[in-house]
Amino acid sequence: MHPERQVTAMLANNNRRIIGRMAKSSLRGNRGRNVIILLSIVLASFMLFAIFTVGITYFKMQRLQNIRLNGGDYDAILYGITEEQREKCESDPEIGRTGILAMSGYIEATEGDNTVEESCIWADRVCWEEIMAPAREWVKGTYPQAENEVMVTEKALEEAGLSGLTVGDSFQADYRDGNGNLISKEFTISGMWDGYGTKSAFYVSEAFYKASGYDISEVRCGRYHLDFDRWIMTSEEQEAFIDSMNLGKQQALYFTGDMGYSLPIFIGLCGLILVTCLCAYLLIYNIMYLSVSGNVRYYGLLQTVGMTGKQIRFLIRRQMFLLGAAGIAGGILTGFAVAFLLLPSVIRSLGIREGMADDIDISLNPAVLLLTVLLVAFTVYMGSRKPAKLASTISPMEAVGYRPAYAGKIAKSSMSVAKTKKRRAGLLKRMALEQILKDKKKTAVIMVSLAAGMSVFLCISTLLESQAARTIVTNHMDADLVITNDTLKKENREEWRQLLTDDFLKELGGIEGVNDVCPVLTGQVMVPWEPDFADMWMDEFYAKWMNIPYEDDRQEYKEHPENFGSMILGIKEEEFPWLQQTVDTEIDKEDFMSGKVCVIYRNGLDLTMDDLAGKNVTCAEYGNQFNSHTFQIAGLTDEGYYTGPLLGFPPTVITSESVLKDFISENYVSKAAVRYAEEYSEPTEQAVLNLIANSADADDFSWESKLESMQEVERAQGNMKEVGMGIALILALIGILNYINTVTGNIQSRQMELAILESVGMTDRQRNRLLVMEGLIFAAGSLLITGTAGVAVTYAVYQSMNYMQVPFVVPVWPIVGMTAFIAAVCVIIPLTAGALMVRRGSVMERVRGV
């Protein structure tokens, strides 16, 4: 055995009680360092407890919000259902329940409004009483049983011009059945409800559905809801299920957002937990490492009086146990208070009230408590493990000969100053870089810790900004309001009226705050049969949307194309760039404006431009086949804005406004998109709505408001944005604490080196510039890591949780603010630490190590 080790072993004293008292005494003697460690453990415990608690509550809240958004508690919806598919689903052990909604007609006019467009829907018992029930707030009366009974909401009655009616009242309405017949019937309100879902519909009885001419096997009618007995289903499993259903060409099956994105969100929460533990680990490890490095003599002298390496490790672990226990307790208590005081207000801000179905109860989960304690304890143990091992390996001889702060390099630094006095620039930069590279491991720890906090801030701020109400609520052309002429939706052309007149549009454009108005012109056309494009389109249309083969109607279409009307739309030149954005192919603007080429609304058909390359479409004025115009098809669009007031069997053709006016004399303005000078301007919108309300045809207008949609989203989001940013700032604080502790400790340990540099001519200004440069290098390194790895992780997390399909955009101002803040911290902290060092003693006192 080595003589030093032999002496140490002979003097060993295994008195744990004394070591325990020493640990407590050491904690009291190093309050500054230990307060930072304690604070980091409190923050880590609080963050983990809050993340677990918020995560569990978030899943419950998300489930309820999606129930409200979808109008029921289900995981998938199938459009059109055959008897074989229905039997398969009902016998599948993984499917808990299934329910049917059947479109059974459309109300077109009532005694109070002749431009109504409300659906008649039948819901079976399971769908109404189980699947849709969690989305309802209250119900009066009973679900319809007789053929003439309906279940309605106050909103549906208002939109149908029947405000004020209630349960037991009757009204006269005209509805169109599945065979296209317009039928007049007196309906009786058997019940009323309110809540979430399709509130504009009139729910009808099974008897009404059976007499309507519709069938649930048709895509236009059947809506088959599936509720699985599982809360996560991967995209691969969803695709496999869809394949197993053997869907027909017309059918489509969609899964809800929470079913498809529960797993990515869960993984995202796990990533947040990992980053929290990493930040806490880096801080604890860094503080302990610097503490041990700065107390080499202390640990060496402890061995000279008989303390073994094992006892030193026990001493350090005892200190960390006391700090860890206090920090975990403080963090959990803080998290407990936040969970039970803050979260209820967050939930209330989301519109969830007591008495609703599936109330959210926040409770203390023992598993959450245990998992938090274990994770933080493991983090504390791992963070102090290596520093404790380092302290136990210091021998008494090493302690006696120890000189702090890179003493062997002081002379070299001084010589460097002397040799490079004549160089006017670059000296301080090289010295700062040398200092950064002296301990690459410590430098990496600081940069990674700062970058971890900034990356979380970047990730959360990007998610919050990208999913904000102003970002989610978008529409074609970024229109603030789209006003529609509802009379053009009526089957009888005699009832069409020009509501959006030139005078009305001029008055609309003259409202203060209205930036521009883009009207869409429309006219009715027919597409004569020809063996190339028209025949191919109709064959594909019948296969996709009709329940009879195209062959049954081909001859009628050939001989009487006027029975298969369609629409042509005309847009202004200013709107062409917006149309181009919705088309995959490049369109020649001059050819489009002159009428040589056109764009076709795809209408969900499985056609591509490869199928239509070089093909033409001929349109004739409805009722006058001698007035025709032939366009070359230049592109396909799926933008619903270009559907026209009526959607016929032949294609909807989109051309320029000037071409349409020259071609179709009887044309109408079907809609007008209004953009405000200031987006989401409430005064401007109120002025526009007042203009509509004061019109003699106010009841025949409808509109879609981006402002109203944004307000709905904001009510649903509540103050979750502030909570999310608070979490991000706490994680960033852990990284900043790590930097503060490391830099202050580093400067304190370098006080002899800095004093010697001052003694050979370094001024206070030069010392401050050196410290600032070192701080800026730390800031640049951490920002570089954030800008590469941080952005990559943010993008991956964002795309995995982007069920709203919002484009990925990094928010500019939060990132600029974060960059400026980190740069300021990395500059101010070294300057402050340097100033405090100078105040503690003269140059000679610091050179002597006093």
Side-chain angles (χ1 to χ4, degrees):
M1 182 182 295
H2 193 278
E4 294 177 9
R5 301 292 183 190
Q6 188 175 11
V7 171
T8 301
M10 291 173 60
L11 297 175
N13 187 346
N14 189 22
N15 193 328
R16 295 203 167 201
R17 184 175 300 176
I18 295 176
I19 294 175
R21 290 201 298 269
M22 291 178 63
K24 295 178 183 178
S25 176
S26 178
L27 290 176
R28 289 192 295 268
N30 296 276
R31 288 189 179 89
R33 180 201 72 185
N34 295 323
V35 165
I36 295 178
I37 295 179
L38 179 64
L39 183 58
S40 70
I41 298 173
V42 169
L43 288 173
S45 304
F46 164 72
M47 281 299 299
L48 289 176
F49 183 82
I51 288 171
F52 284 132
T53 305
V54 172
I56 293 173
T57 305
Y58 174 78
F59 276 112
K60 293 180 179 179
M61 293 168 64
Q62 182 200 39
R63 182 67 176 173
L64 181 55
Q65 296 301 322
N66 281 328
I67 287 173
R68 294 164 62 173
L69 179 65
N70 298 326
D73 184 7
Y74 60 93
D75 298 314
I77 183 170
L78 172 61
Y79 287 76
I81 178 71
T82 65
E83 192 61 34
E84 294 78 11
Q85 292 168 337
R86 187 175 177 182
E87 291 176 359
K88 180 183 183 303
C89 292
E90 290 177 353
S91 62
D92 191 330
E94 290 194 340
I95 299 177
R97 58 189 175 186
T98 59
I100 298 173
L101 282 181
M103 307 299 293
S104 307
Y106 296 90
I107 293 179
E108 293 191 357
T110 68
E111 56 197 50
D113 190 348
N114 63 357
T115 57
V116 181
E117 191 180 10
E118 307 289 351
S119 303
C120 298
I121 303 176
W122 168 63
D124 72 352
R125 187 198 62 80
V126 175
C127 193
W128 180 260
E129 296 181 4
E130 297 181 26
I131 292 179
M132 297 173 64
R136 291 196 295 269
E137 292 183 330
W138 55 263
V139 176
K140 297 178 182 178
T142 60
Y143 190 83
Q145 299 298 320
E147 186 179 345
N148 68 330
E149 292 181 338
V150 292
M151 169 75 77
V152 294
T153 64
E154 293 177 351
K155 179 180 179 181
L157 291 173
E158 180 182 351
E159 292 182 353
L162 301 172
S163 298
L165 297 186
T166 186
V167 177
D169 292 338
S170 299
F171 62 90
Q172 196 75 24
D174 296 336
Y175 74 94
R176 197 168 296 276
D177 67 7
N179 300 317
N181 302 315
L182 187 62
I183 302 172
S184 181
K185 182 186 286 289
E186 184 179 45
F187 291 92
T188 299
I189 301 174
S190 66
M192 296 185 66
W193 67 280
D194 198 10
Y196 302 89
T198 309
K199 298 174 65 174
S200 298
F202 284 64
Y203 286 89
V204 297
S205 65
E206 185 176 6
F208 184 97
Y209 155 69
K210 288 182 176 179
S212 67
Y214 284 89
D215 190 271
I216 61 171
S217 61
E218 302 170 9
V219 172
R220 63 172 183 162
C221 172
R223 305 290 184 266
Y224 194 63
H225 298 78
L226 299 93
D227 186 25
F228 289 81
D229 283 335
R230 53 194 301 186
W231 65 283
I232 285 181
M233 198 172 187
T234 64
S235 57
E236 291 79 11
E237 291 174 326
Q238 293 178 21
E239 290 297 328
F241 178 80
I242 293 174
D243 291 340
S244 70
M245 292 294 290
N246 297 318
L247 301 181
K249 185 178 181 65
Q250 297 181 346
Q251 290 181 296
L253 195 156
Y254 301 102
F255 281 86
T256 59
D258 54 341
M259 192 65 171
Y261 288 88
S262 291
L263 183 59
I265 292 172
F266 176 75
I267 294 174
L269 289 173
C270 291
L272 194 59
I273 292 167
L274 179 63
V275 171
T276 302
C277 292
L278 175 63
C279 291
Y281 165 79
L282 290 173
L283 179 55
I284 293 170
Y285 170 81
N286 207 22
I287 293 174
M288 293 301 300
Y289 184 82
L290 288 174
S291 176
V292 171
S293 299
N295 289 278
V296 170
R297 286 187 180 181
Y298 174 70
Y299 293 116
L301 291 174
L302 287 179
Q303 293 195 53
T304 63
V305 296
M307 183 173 284
T308 65
K310 182 178 180 181
Q311 290 173 326
I312 290 177
R313 288 195 299 272
F314 176 76
L315 171 64
I316 294 176
R317 289 174 182 168
R318 180 71 173 176
Q319 294 173 356
M320 292 309 299
F321 172 79
L322 294 174
L323 288 173
I328 291 172
I332 289 176
L333 288 175
T334 305
F336 185 85
V338 168
F340 284 87
L341 296 178
L342 178 61
L343 279 182
S345 65
V346 173
I347 293 174
R348 283 192 295 271
S349 72
L350 290 174
I352 302 171
R353 299 289 187 268
E354 294 182 1
M356 289 182 59
D358 294 342
D359 279 344
I360 301 298
D361 294 322
I362 301 175
S363 58
L364 179 61
N365 193 322
V368 168
L369 188 62
L370 179 62
L371 192 57
T372 301
V373 172
L374 291 177
L375 281 174
V376 178
F378 179 74
T379 301
V380 172
Y381 170 75
M382 294 302 297
S384 59
R385 182 169 174 267
K386 191 167 184 179
K389 183 179 179 182
L390 173 64
S392 67
T393 58
I394 299 173
S395 67
M397 294 302 295
E398 289 172 334
V400 170
Y402 174 76
R403 298 291 292 173
Y406 308 104
K409 299 185 180 181
I410 295 176
K412 182 177 178 181
S413 299
S414 302
M415 291 173 63
S416 176
V417 173
K419 289 180 180 180
T420 55
K421 277 185 178 180
K422 296 181 180 180
R423 300 181 184 179
R424 290 178 297 176
L427 171 60
L428 294 178
K429 292 181 180 178
R430 287 195 298 276
M431 291 179 65
L433 190 59
E434 286 177 6
Q435 180 62 38
I436 296 295
L437 296 177
K438 278 181 181 179
D439 194 336
K440 297 183 180 64
K441 186 173 183 180
K442 181 173 66 176
T443 299
V445 168
I446 297 174
M447 289 184 178
V448 170
S449 180
L450 277 174
M454 286 192 294
S455 296
V456 172
F457 178 85
L458 170 66
C459 185
I460 293 180
S461 61
T462 300
L463 285 170
L464 292 174
E465 288 294 324
S466 299
Q467 300 297 329
R470 290 174 177 262
T471 307
I472 293 174
V473 179
T474 58
N475 54 37
H476 184 59
M477 298 196 300
D478 287 337
D480 288 278
L481 198 74
V482 177
I483 307 172
T484 303
N485 178 357
D486 287 341
T487 66
L488 302 180
K489 298 177 182 179
K490 301 184 75 64
E491 295 280 347
N492 186 359
R493 294 184 65 198
E494 300 298 325
E495 300 182 63
W496 293 7
R497 289 183 292 124
Q498 186 71 277
L499 302 185
L500 294 166
T501 61
D502 291 340
D503 291 340
F504 182 91
L505 294 175
K506 185 177 180 180
E507 190 173 357
L508 178 62
I511 293 176
E512 184 179 357
V514 171
N515 195 36
D516 61 88
V517 179
C518 292
V520 176
L521 212 61
T522 188
Q524 190 172 22
V525 295
M526 54 187 182
V527 179
W529 181 91
E530 46 85 17
D532 192 16
F533 168 72
D535 194 60
M536 178 185 68
W537 175 277
M538 294 295 281
D539 187 47
E540 181 69 20
F541 179 86
Y542 271 72
K544 181 70 175 180
W545 298 118
M546 302 298 290
N547 58 353
I548 60 174
Y550 173 50
E551 293 298 327
D552 291 0
D553 287 342
R554 184 195 295 266
Q555 193 61 34
E556 182 185 357
Y557 179 45
K558 284 183 179 182
E559 298 175 358
H560 300 284
E562 67 274 10
N563 295 342
F564 300 82
S566 188
M567 306 297 291
I568 184 170
L569 304 181
I571 64 172
K572 288 184 173 293
E573 183 176 356
E574 298 87 343
E575 191 178 336
F576 176 79
W578 295 96
L579 173 65
Q580 177 65 76
Q581 292 179 13
T582 70
V583 180
D584 293 335
T585 55
E586 190 68 28
I587 304 173
D588 187 280
K589 182 178 178 180
E590 292 185 4
D591 288 347
F592 179 85
M593 299 307 299
S594 65
K596 292 181 180 179
V597 302
C598 72
V599 174
I600 299 293
Y601 177 67
R602 198 193 313 259
N603 198 15
L605 304 188
D606 297 328
L607 293 176
T608 65
M609 280 307 298
D610 292 336
D611 303 314
L612 305 181
K615 296 187 182 299
N616 298 325
V617 57
T618 298
C619 301
E621 183 178 8
Y622 189 81
N624 182 13
Q625 60 181 342
F626 299 105
N627 179 23
S628 64
H629 189 108
T630 299
F631 302 88
Q632 183 178 352
I633 301 172
L636 292 166
T637 179
D638 297 312
E639 173 55 54
Y641 183 79
Y642 298 112
T643 55
L646 294 174
L647 196 59
F649 290 13
T652 299
V653 178
I654 305 157
T655 185
S656 68
E657 182 184 72
S658 59
V659 170
L660 190 148
K661 285 182 177 179
D662 293 338
F663 174 35
I664 305 293
S665 58
E666 189 179 359
N667 53 69
Y668 299 84
V669 177
S670 62
K671 64 179 70 173
V674 185
R675 281 196 295 269
Y676 306 152
E678 181 183 349
E679 194 176 22
Y680 300 106
S681 172
E682 293 188 32
T684 303
E685 177 139 318
Q686 189 57 52
V688 173
L689 295 180
N690 288 340
L691 174 64
I692 297 173
N694 294 330
S695 169
D697 304 301
D699 292 339
D700 295 327
F701 283 113
S702 63
W703 61 85
E704 295 180 6
S705 166
K706 189 163 68 171
L707 174 62
E708 291 178 1
S709 299
M710 185 201 70
Q711 290 171 343
E712 287 295 322
V713 174
E714 285 182 337
R715 279 193 290 269
Q717 290 180 337
N719 58 356
M720 290 302 291
K721 179 177 180 179
E722 289 75 12
V723 174
M725 292 305 298
I727 294 174
L729 290 174
I730 290 175
L731 284 174
L733 177 61
I734 296 177
I736 293 171
L737 284 174
N738 196 357
Y739 174 77
I740 293 173
N741 176 75
T742 303
V743 169
T744 53
N746 184 34
I747 291 176
Q748 184 176 357
S749 65
R750 291 168 56 200
Q751 62 178 342
M752 183 182 295
E753 177 184 350
L754 292 172
I756 292 176
L757 290 174
E758 289 180 48
S759 69
V760 295
M762 176 179 275
T763 64
D764 290 344
R765 183 180 179 184
Q766 289 174 324
R767 182 194 67 242
N768 290 337
R769 287 182 60 190
L770 174 64
L771 296 177
V772 167
M773 288 179 184
E774 292 176 8
L776 290 176
I777 292 174
F778 280 123
S782 59
L783 288 170
L784 178 63
I785 297 172
T786 304
T788 53
V791 171
V793 170
T794 298
Y795 180 78
V797 172
Y798 179 85
Q799 292 298 349
S800 70
M801 302 173 70
N802 187 22
Y803 64 91
M804 302 288 293
Q805 299 301 311
V806 178
F808 175 79
V809 178
V810 175
V812 176
W813 290 114
I815 302 308
V816 170
M818 177 190 75
T819 302
F821 177 73
I822 289 299
V825 168
C826 290
V827 168
I828 293 173
I829 297 305
L831 287 177
T832 304
L836 292 175
M837 175 194 69
V838 171
R839 293 177 185 175
R840 287 178 183 147
S842 64
V843 172
M844 292 305 299
E845 288 176 330
R846 283 183 277 130
V847 168
R848 292 168 55 193
V850 178

